[in-house]
Amino acid sequence: MTVTTTTDRTAPSSTGAAVNPPAAPVVPSLSRLRPLGIGEVTITGGPWATRQATNAAATLGHVEHWLEREGWLGNFDATAAGASGADRAGREFSDSETYKLLEAMAWEHGRSGDPELDARLRAIVARVAAAQQPDGYLSTAFGRPGTPERWSDLEWGHELYCLGHLFQAGVARARTAGPDELLEVCTRAADLVCEVFGPQGIPSVCGHPEIEPALVELYRVTGQRRYLEQARLFLERRGHQVLAEVEFGRAYFQDDVPIREADVLRGHAVRATYLSSGAVDLAAETGDEELLAAVVRQWEATVARRTYLTGGMGSRHQDEAFGEDFVLPPDRAYSETCAGVGSVQLAWRLLLARGEARYADLVERTLYNVVDAGPSASGTAFFYTNTLHQRVLGTVPDADHAVPRAASSLRAPWFAVSCCPTNVARTFASLQTLVATADEDGVQVHQYAPATIATDLPAGRLELRVVTDYPHTGRVEVVVERAPADPVAVTLRVPGWATGATLTDGEDVREAAPGSVTTTRAFTTGEVLVLDLPLQPRFTAADPRVDAVRGTLAVERGPQVLCVESVDLPGERHVDDLVLDPTRAPEDVEGGVRVHGWLRQQADPAWPYGEPTPGGAAGEQVSVLLHPYADWAERGPSTMRVFLPVPGAPSAAS
Amino acid sequence: MTVTTTTDRTAPSSTGAAVNPPAAPVVPSLSRLRPLGIGEVTITGGPWATRQATNAAATLGHVEHWLEREGWLGNFDATAAGASGADRAGREFSDSETYKLLEAMAWEHGRSGDPELDARLRAIVARVAAAQQPDGYLSTAFGRPGTPERWSDLEWGHELYCLGHLFQAGVARARTAGPDELLEVCTRAADLVCEVFGPQGIPSVCGHPEIEPALVELYRVTGQRRYLEQARLFLERRGHQVLAEVEFGRAYFQDDVPIREADVLRGHAVRATYLSSGAVDLAAETGDEELLAAVVRQWEATVARRTYLTGGMGSRHQDEAFGEDFVLPPDRAYSETCAGVGSVQLAWRLLLARGEARYADLVERTLYNVVDAGPSASGTAFFYTNTLHQRVLGTVPDADHAVPRAASSLRAPWFAVSCCPTNVARTFASLQTLVATADEDGVQVHQYAPATIATDLPAGRLELRVVTDYPHTGRVEVVVERAPADPVAVTLRVPGWATGATLTDGEDVREAAPGSVTTTRAFTTGEVLVLDLPLQPRFTAADPRVDAVRGTLAVERGPQVLCVESVDLPGERHVDDLVLDPTRAPEDVEGGVRVHGWLRQQADPAWPYGEPTPGGAAGEQVSVLLHPYADWAERGPSTMRVFLPVPGAPSAAS
């Protein structure tokens, strides 16, 4: 890899003393913060370590099993054998699931070194490679007898999207195991893409962004500038109505407004976050501050006006899209698991580029309340969407059948459009790379989990050990295992909600305001910094323009959004019967967070509108246990809600 | 027509002395109330007379023009000429728009007797008839070279749906002008349908109900029992999964549960209301009380839990469908204009069958706030959907181009799916038939407009004249123009909202409670009954389970739902800045209804959730004029809302 560092720029520059590029999903040449790779950070315990273990032990095999039984892997064999595509299995983008599995396997193998996993990965790569045509073209859905012609349906065909995921798998493999056959498959395909879609080629883009960040990453691994240039071409073309009009409008695939000019993320939420991620990657390679500022501006508007409390993005089922500003209905939340993954990818890139804690805040919120909500604890069933209000008891999905995009109340094993299992798998497999970063001066810890962090700084090697049972409690100990003789900076993020946090450094106790707290000095082995984050549960209200949750409060605890489920109500009453008492603070108790309120008897009038009466708090007094939203529906069908009504709103006399 | 009256039944029976069936859209053989036809009721003034005049002068010609220019009429010529269907214009159901236009023309011609309109109608009928195949098959989208085979796509093909609209046009023509060529076209097609889909035929149904009520009506006109039997077959088959599974699930076309067993309307709202209308029609011919009771039960649940304040039905854009109970977001209201038409048809049929005022209440609400909201005052532009909260200023639709299903803030002249213009046209053309009914004892007036009502009762002829400027004021004078010597009953509906209404009969002043008030006596020419309905504007709140409008109030005045538009706010501020003062009652003033409140300055925090603060009423004090919802967007792009927030709800500190 050729690292192009520009020394005459005062803004971001990659610093720290790392010689080899880190084994991490995003490695910008220029950035405010330097990512730490798999070798530098290890999550050693706590819920995220459990997730990584489950991912390795259960999810990867589950995904591989379903790809095989649904015939999506077999598509590669059929293509290699020259068979007709007439009876091809799966949707036009099913190849991407294989590539995302490969990416997940690569990161996991990089973490564990498991030779059996390595062998499984190589076996799949061999099947993929066999399906590649001599000129580099690779797709099981296009370009062979019985399938449409190559590039004949850029709006919906997903050929470039699939290749993007292929490249990300190749990058992951190269960064964790060195260049191998998979990277060769990638560069052959990428060379073809540059030829076909280059300056003299087809002047269009893919209906689903993804190849943009992938090409930049492939450039980072290979040093081939044409890949970077092709990513730039794709990014600059989009927004000029290069794709056909579709039912949902061109905003659906962000072809309505050029990315430099847009004000907010819009259209399909996964498409939007992937595209913006690619723009940040491009800006990071080219020092394009204008482009970076455009993405920051859109991210700010999106977070301020179009994001659920959980961090979830997308409120429209029709087109899996962002709604208008402040249209965030809990009961029609789409909040696709994959949009959560996309949002984490975007916020992480912005964190590397700009270094501000707000990006890590959103990463944490989204990891805890969207990405972690998607899969079951078993790692073998998944929510495609993540509603914030379940009104009807769902039916138990058949563990042996794929379902459509499920908006049910229970997680399903597989989907006709099955992007979430693989997206979750690759995120968890590389989760440790989101924990910390470095810069010239020291290390920044962004996410709190039991972990080891070790990297080489200009001043020398710094090794830290994080001891915590966060988010169960808010005490985070950062133990210095090894430190340079000269001063280094240890920066700890203070989440936006953590008003009243303190940092204890020996005898010194400091207030640590939301944002981050930095300790710069020479450290000695065995010294401990203790960050105390106030974790008592808290009520949260919404901006009054979020009409859908007016007159309600949510309950949060640390980074976790909580919810009530009907299985926790007396007699399994419907959650919509619960009225919250806002005068009694939520409290930590054994097994959950307790709130108080009333269970009202709901009359069923003939007409649900009428003369206003003051909203009293009639009904049976109850205390109810709330649990983390991410864990909901683990105990079977349940009604559920995050935002709980408080007394006081006028309602129809009944 | 063979009228089968059963005299040994105590429940509904068609009564009154009418000899010829009335010229009205629904003429049940057995019913509690007897419809009055076009010759019996005339709307003589007021807003509904204006609508009928505009419909005749503008809308019918507008529709005919667009059907011609879009080639949807030309499809019939091409089919007649044996041309290939490869370049056929329009969607698979475009024939139905021609049939709905014919139905509208027939009713309008029945009303006005306009010979020029009669000639236009005949000309279109001739083109339609020419396209019919010798065996009776009629479709421009199926069954000829270059199109799919007959009946090859029952889920989405709409062939039977289109024929249903054809039959309704034929029925309208037969009832207003006597049997003619159009009725012959209908019976030829209906005979084929009975052959193909009869007991030994294809055991399935159409994905879009419509032929069910149409076949019953065609039976009523022709006396052909096989049509009634075919309607029964279609109704009984549905719900047994006779159609293929589709993305939206079988509830989409009500093929999930048999109509006798369902608890509530669900799925596509137009499909649901049309199907239920057919079931009521069938029940009315067969005396099937179980079936009628099933529809009543579903209607009650739908009105109590799945209907907007406007009467609008359908809250899902994705599948134009009912949402779950109480999921009624104003800003994502679908409330399709055609679903409003369907709901009026259903409620009207239930009113005839059961005679209860609640059905006429919903007819009135839906006519004023959905059906009348769809078209512009000019009658040449239309809302496809009817949102209750417009958050962004729309763009002015091009008057010269059809648009997709528009959910914009301005009415469009035509749509790719253009069902609403013709549905509105046929409803307005026959509007007078919704005004009043008769039974053995007398006449029931359901809707209030300047009108003449005249019918023959067993006791003799009764002629009434209604004098009112309702809904501007609430005074309704019913002047007796002619009456039998013996006592007859004059029943006036008292709307559900009209608490405190009075009926004045000479010196006698009675309280008239919501429901209806009946005066039974011998009347003398020139006597007047005066119904005084309290029309002062009123605040309305919703059931607390309608989460989307918690902490808000709407303002209604008589049958009209009001709204605020940004063009009526100082500085054209956004409607979302307005907070309503619920302690100051709305008041009638010149030009509208005045409410009081505050315009708050909305901060734009980085994150729209946070610690709750009491919802105060800060901001500039304002008085604002509200106008009828149905008139919104007549003055150009505007933000708009129906439900206005009141102070008191906690919100995020900003």
Side-chain angles (χ1 to χ4, degrees):
Chain A
M1 177 184 172
T2 310
V3 178
T4 43
T5 43
T6 316
T7 50
D8 59 348
R9 296 180 64 258
T10 53
S13 60
S14 184
T15 52
V19 181
N20 296 316
V26 187
V27 185
S29 304
L30 296 169
S31 67
R32 170 73 188 77
L33 304 178
R34 168 170 65 86
L36 298 183
I38 286 179
E40 295 172 299
V41 181
T42 303
I43 300 174
T44 55
W48 294 122
T50 303
R51 271 298 188 202
Q52 290 203 301
T54 303
N55 192 52
T59 306
L60 296 183
H62 174 86
V63 167
E64 192 177 356
H65 165 77
W66 276 89
L67 287 174
E68 203 74 89
R69 65 171 269 179
E70 295 290 304
W72 301 0
L73 267 167
N75 287 337
F76 291 99
D77 308 331
T79 301
S84 157
D87 56 353
R88 180 184 172 277
R91 292 286 299 270
E92 61 275 27
F93 38 73
S94 71
D95 292 356
S96 69
E97 310 311 340
T98 292
Y99 303 150
K100 283 191 282 180
L101 173 64
L102 286 175
E103 184 189 339
M105 285 176 153
W107 294 125
E108 176 57 27
H109 169 255
R111 191 178 75 90
S112 68
D114 178 2
E116 187 260 339
L117 181 62
D118 188 55
R120 282 161 57 199
L121 182 155
R122 288 175 190 272
I124 296 174
V125 169
R127 294 165 74 179
V128 169
Q132 189 168 37
Q133 298 186 17
D135 68 351
Y137 184 80
L138 180 52
S139 165
T140 71
F142 288 83
R144 60 186 175 114
T147 66
E149 281 182 35
R150 292 181 184 186
W151 326 119
S152 60
D153 183 9
L154 291 175
E155 285 75 20
W156 297 108
H158 289 78
E159 285 158 287
L160 293 168
Y161 164 85
C162 289
L163 292 179
H165 280 301
L166 173 74
F167 300 167
Q168 291 198 326
V171 165
R173 183 66 173 164
R175 287 191 181 138
T176 52
D180 72 348
E181 185 184 11
L182 182 55
L183 190 64
E184 286 169 27
V185 172
C186 291
T187 55
R188 278 197 297 269
D191 290 343
L192 178 71
V193 167
C194 293
E195 195 182 305
V196 173
F197 290 91
Q200 317 308 325
I202 301 171
S204 192
V205 302
C206 183
H208 198 315
E210 159 60 22
I211 198 166
E212 295 82 355
L215 279 169
V216 179
E217 283 274 273
L218 194 62
Y219 153 71
R220 289 165 175 165
V221 163
T222 63
Q224 290 293 324
R225 271 203 88 82
R226 60 191 310 204
Y227 302 156
L228 181 64
E229 178 57 19
Q230 188 61 47
R232 193 189 64 72
L233 273 177
F234 281 142
L235 278 156
E236 301 286 7
R237 279 175 189 158
R238 191 181 296 265
H240 295 282
Q241 296 84 56
V242 294
L243 295 169
E245 183 67 272
V246 292
E247 184 189 351
F248 304 136
R250 286 204 179 82
Y252 174 72
F253 32 44
Q254 296 78 45
D255 191 30
D256 54 336
V257 179
I259 193 158
R260 292 177 190 276
E261 296 168 24
D263 291 323
V264 67
L265 299 191
R266 70 232 169 270
H268 190 268
V270 179
R271 283 169 168 81
T273 49
Y274 283 13
L275 180 70
S276 301
S277 295
V280 179
D281 285 340
L282 178 66
E285 296 309 310
T286 58
D288 189 337
E289 286 295 316
E290 181 202 280
L291 179 59
L292 180 59
V295 177
V296 167
R297 181 180 71 234
Q298 294 164 44
W299 182 89
E300 286 171 347
T302 304
V303 171
R305 295 163 171 256
R306 299 188 171 190
T307 302
Y308 282 100
L309 180 63
T310 53
M313 292 185 178
S315 65
R316 291 195 179 176
H317 284 239
Q318 186 176 29
D319 44 0
E320 305 187 303
F322 286 100
E324 289 163 0
D325 288 348
F326 302 112
V327 182
L328 295 163
D331 53 11
R332 287 295 278 171
Y334 201 71
S335 183
E336 187 177 340
T337 304
C338 290
V341 169
S343 174
V344 167
Q345 292 178 356
L346 174 57
W348 177 251
R349 282 162 165 84
L350 291 170
L351 176 65
L352 294 180
R354 289 285 180 99
E356 296 160 24
R358 57 181 180 161
Y359 302 117
D361 277 4
L362 193 71
V363 167
E364 178 178 53
R365 180 176 293 276
T366 309
L367 282 178
Y368 272 101
N369 302 295
V370 181
V371 180
D372 196 39
S376 63
S378 67
T380 56
F382 306 85
F383 280 134
Y384 189 108
T385 65
N386 294 279
T387 188
L388 274 72
H389 183 183
Q390 180 72 30
R391 291 175 180 264
V392 296
L393 291 177
T395 47
V396 181
D398 186 340
D400 202 42
H401 282 94
V403 299
R405 297 168 187 174
S408 80
S409 79
L410 290 164
R411 297 168 178 90
W414 199 252
F415 303 90
V417 176
S418 209
C419 39
C420 45
T422 52
N423 239 343
V424 163
R426 67 184 183 129
T427 304
F428 286 154
S430 57
L431 197 61
Q432 68 274 48
T433 65
L434 301 177
V435 167
T437 57
D439 65 5
E440 264 189 337
D441 303 321
V443 159
Q444 304 80 37
V445 185
H446 305 289
Q447 306 300 337
Y448 298 116
T452 59
I453 302 167
T455 193
D456 292 319
L457 299 171
R461 185 159 184 82
L462 178 66
E463 296 182 8
L464 305 174
R465 183 162 51 89
V466 180
V467 180
T468 185
D469 65 349
Y470 183 88
H472 187 62
T473 68
R475 181 177 172 89
V476 179
E477 299 177 11
V478 179
V479 183
V480 178
E481 300 276 340
R482 179 177 166 186
D486 290 335
V488 293
V490 175
T491 299
L492 305 179
R493 181 176 64 96
V494 182
W497 46 263
T499 309
T502 58
L503 183 81
T504 305
D505 180 6
E507 300 296 301
D508 178 43
V509 181
R510 282 187 282 162
E511 196 181 319
S516 62
V517 57
T518 299
T519 307
T520 306
R521 63 177 175 83
F523 288 95
T524 317
T525 300
E527 284 185 329
V528 183
L529 297 173
V530 180
L531 180 66
D532 271 301
L533 300 170
L535 267 196
Q536 67 276 19
R538 62 192 189 275
F539 286 137
T540 299
D543 186 290
R545 286 166 293 184
V546 186
D547 286 274
V549 298
R550 181 175 292 107
T552 68
L553 294 177
V555 183
E556 297 182 279
R557 184 179 181 281
Q560 294 179 308
V561 174
L562 307 183
C563 70
V564 60
E565 286 184 87
S566 52
V567 291
D568 289 316
L569 291 181
E572 301 210 6
R573 288 274 295 276
H574 197 288
V575 292
D576 290 354
D577 292 344
L578 182 65
V579 176
L580 181 72
D581 184 347
T583 68
R584 299 178 68 182
E587 52 200 352
D588 275 322
V589 295
E590 183 68 29
V593 168
R594 185 163 59 199
V595 297
H596 304 274
W598 304 269
L599 282 174
R600 63 186 166 199
Q601 291 293 345
Q602 310 261 10
D604 214 356
W607 178 241
Y609 308 96
E611 191 183 342
T613 56
E620 173 194 350
Q621 279 205 325
V622 285
S623 299
V624 180
L625 278 192
L626 308 186
H627 295 105
Y629 168 75
D631 297 340
W632 95 271
E634 286 283 359
R635 294 173 290 165
S638 198
T639 59
M640 179 277 296
R641 61 189 299 162
V642 167
F643 286 94
L644 307 176
V646 298
S651 67
S654 59
Chain B
M1 177 185 171
T2 311
V3 179
T4 42
T5 44
T6 318
T7 51
D8 60 349
R9 296 179 65 260
T10 53
S13 60
S14 184
T15 52
V19 181
N20 296 316
V26 186
V27 185
S29 304
L30 297 169
S31 68
R32 170 73 189 78
L33 304 179
R34 168 170 65 84
L36 299 183
I38 284 179
E40 296 172 299
V41 181
T42 303
I43 300 174
T44 55
W48 292 123
T50 303
R51 272 299 188 200
Q52 289 203 300
T54 303
N55 192 52
T59 306
L60 296 183
H62 175 86
V63 167
E64 192 177 357
H65 165 77
W66 276 89
L67 286 174
E68 203 73 89
R69 67 169 269 180
E70 295 289 303
W72 300 1
L73 268 167
N75 287 337
F76 291 99
D77 309 331
T79 302
S84 157
D87 56 353
R88 180 183 172 277
R91 293 286 300 269
E92 60 275 28
F93 38 73
S94 71
D95 293 356
S96 69
E97 310 312 340
T98 291
Y99 304 149
K100 282 191 283 179
L101 173 64
L102 285 176
E103 184 189 340
M105 285 176 154
W107 295 126
E108 176 56 28
H109 171 255
R111 190 178 76 91
S112 68
D114 178 2
E116 187 261 338
L117 181 61
D118 188 54
R120 281 161 59 198
L121 182 153
R122 287 174 191 273
I124 295 174
V125 168
R127 294 165 75 179
V128 168
Q132 190 169 35
Q133 298 186 16
D135 67 351
Y137 184 80
L138 179 53
S139 165
T140 71
F142 288 82
R144 59 185 175 117
T147 65
E149 281 182 36
R150 291 180 183 187
W151 325 120
S152 59
D153 182 10
L154 291 175
E155 285 74 20
W156 298 109
H158 289 77
E159 284 159 287
L160 293 168
Y161 164 86
C162 289
L163 292 179
H165 279 301
L166 173 73
F167 300 167
Q168 290 199 326
V171 166
R173 183 66 173 164
R175 288 190 180 139
T176 53
D180 72 350
E181 184 184 12
L182 182 55
L183 190 65
E184 286 169 27
V185 173
C186 290
T187 55
R188 279 197 298 269
D191 290 342
L192 179 71
V193 168
C194 292
E195 195 182 306
V196 174
F197 289 91
Q200 317 309 325
I202 302 172
S204 192
V205 302
C206 182
H208 199 314
E210 160 60 23
I211 197 166
E212 295 82 355
L215 278 169
V216 179
E217 283 274 274
L218 194 62
Y219 153 72
R220 288 167 175 164
V221 163
T222 62
Q224 290 294 325
R225 272 204 86 83
R226 61 190 311 205
Y227 302 157
L228 180 65
E229 178 57 21
Q230 188 60 46
R232 193 189 64 72
L233 273 177
F234 281 142
L235 277 157
E236 301 285 7
R237 278 176 191 158
R238 192 181 295 267
H240 295 281
Q241 296 85 54
V242 294
L243 295 169
E245 183 67 272
V246 293
E247 183 189 351
F248 305 135
R250 285 202 179 83
Y252 174 73
F253 32 46
Q254 294 79 44
D255 191 31
D256 54 337
V257 180
I259 193 159
R260 292 177 190 277
E261 296 169 23
D263 291 322
V264 67
L265 299 191
R266 68 234 171 270
H268 190 266
V270 178
R271 284 169 166 81
T273 49
Y274 283 12
L275 179 70
S276 301
S277 295
V280 178
D281 285 339
L282 178 67
E285 297 309 310
T286 57
D288 189 336
E289 286 294 318
E290 180 201 280
L291 179 58
L292 180 60
V295 177
V296 167
R297 181 180 72 234
Q298 294 164 43
W299 183 88
E300 287 171 345
T302 303
V303 171
R305 295 162 171 257
R306 297 188 173 191
T307 302
Y308 281 101
L309 180 62
T310 53
M313 293 185 177
S315 65
R316 290 195 180 177
H317 284 239
Q318 186 177 27
D319 43 1
E320 306 188 303
F322 286 99
E324 290 163 359
D325 287 350
F326 303 111
V327 182
L328 294 163
D331 53 10
R332 288 294 279 173
Y334 200 70
S335 183
E336 188 178 339
T337 303
C338 289
V341 169
S343 174
V344 167
Q345 292 178 356
L346 174 57
W348 177 251
R349 283 161 163 83
L350 291 170
L351 176 65
L352 293 180
R354 289 285 179 99
E356 296 160 24
R358 58 180 179 161
Y359 301 117
D361 277 2
L362 193 70
V363 167
E364 178 177 53
R365 179 176 293 276
T366 309
L367 283 178
Y368 272 102
N369 302 294
V370 181
V371 180
D372 195 40
S376 63
S378 68
T380 56
F382 306 84
F383 280 134
Y384 189 108
T385 66
N386 294 279
T387 187
L388 275 71
H389 183 181
Q390 180 71 30
R391 290 175 180 265
V392 296
L393 292 177
T395 48
V396 182
D398 186 340
D400 203 42
H401 283 93
V403 300
R405 298 167 186 174
S408 80
S409 77
L410 291 164
R411 297 169 178 91
W414 199 251
F415 303 91
V417 176
S418 209
C419 38
C420 44
T422 51
N423 240 342
V424 163
R426 68 185 182 127
T427 305
F428 286 154
S430 58
L431 197 63
Q432 68 273 50
T433 65
L434 301 177
V435 167
T437 55
D439 65 6
E440 266 188 336
D441 304 320
V443 160
Q444 304 79 37
V445 185
H446 304 289
Q447 306 300 338
Y448 298 116
T452 58
I453 302 168
T455 192
D456 293 319
L457 299 171
R461 185 159 183 82
L462 178 67
E463 296 182 9
L464 305 174
R465 183 162 50 89
V466 180
V467 180
T468 184
D469 65 349
Y470 183 86
H472 186 64
T473 68
R475 182 178 172 88
V476 179
E477 299 176 12
V478 179
V479 183
V480 178
E481 300 275 340
R482 180 177 166 186
D486 290 337
V488 293
V490 174
T491 300
L492 305 179
R493 181 176 63 95
V494 182
W497 46 263
T499 309
T502 59
L503 183 80
T504 304
D505 179 7
E507 299 296 300
D508 178 43
V509 181
R510 282 187 282 162
E511 195 181 321
S516 62
V517 57
T518 299
T519 307
T520 306
R521 62 178 175 83
F523 289 94
T524 318
T525 299
E527 284 187 329
V528 182
L529 297 173
V530 179
L531 180 66
D532 271 302
L533 299 170
L535 267 196
Q536 67 276 17
R538 62 192 189 276
F539 286 137
T540 299
D543 187 289
R545 287 166 292 184
V546 186
D547 286 274
V549 299
R550 180 175 293 108
T552 68
L553 294 177
V555 183
E556 296 181 280
R557 184 180 181 282
Q560 294 179 306
V561 174
L562 307 182
C563 70
V564 61
E565 286 185 88
S566 52
V567 291
D568 289 317
L569 291 180
E572 301 211 5
R573 290 274 296 275
H574 198 288
V575 292
D576 289 354
D577 292 344
L578 182 64
V579 177
L580 181 72
D581 184 347
T583 68
R584 301 178 66 182
E587 51 200 353
D588 274 323
V589 295
E590 183 68 28
V593 168
R594 186 164 58 200
V595 297
H596 304 275
W598 303 269
L599 282 175
R600 63 187 166 201
Q601 291 292 346
Q602 310 260 11
D604 214 357
W607 179 241
Y609 308 97
E611 191 184 343
T613 56
E620 174 194 350
Q621 279 205 326
V622 284
S623 299
V624 180
L625 279 193
L626 307 187
H627 295 105
Y629 168 75
D631 297 339
W632 95 270
E634 286 283 1
R635 294 172 289 166
S638 198
T639 59
M640 178 277 296
R641 59 188 301 162
V642 166
F643 287 94
L644 307 176
V646 297
S651 67
S654 58

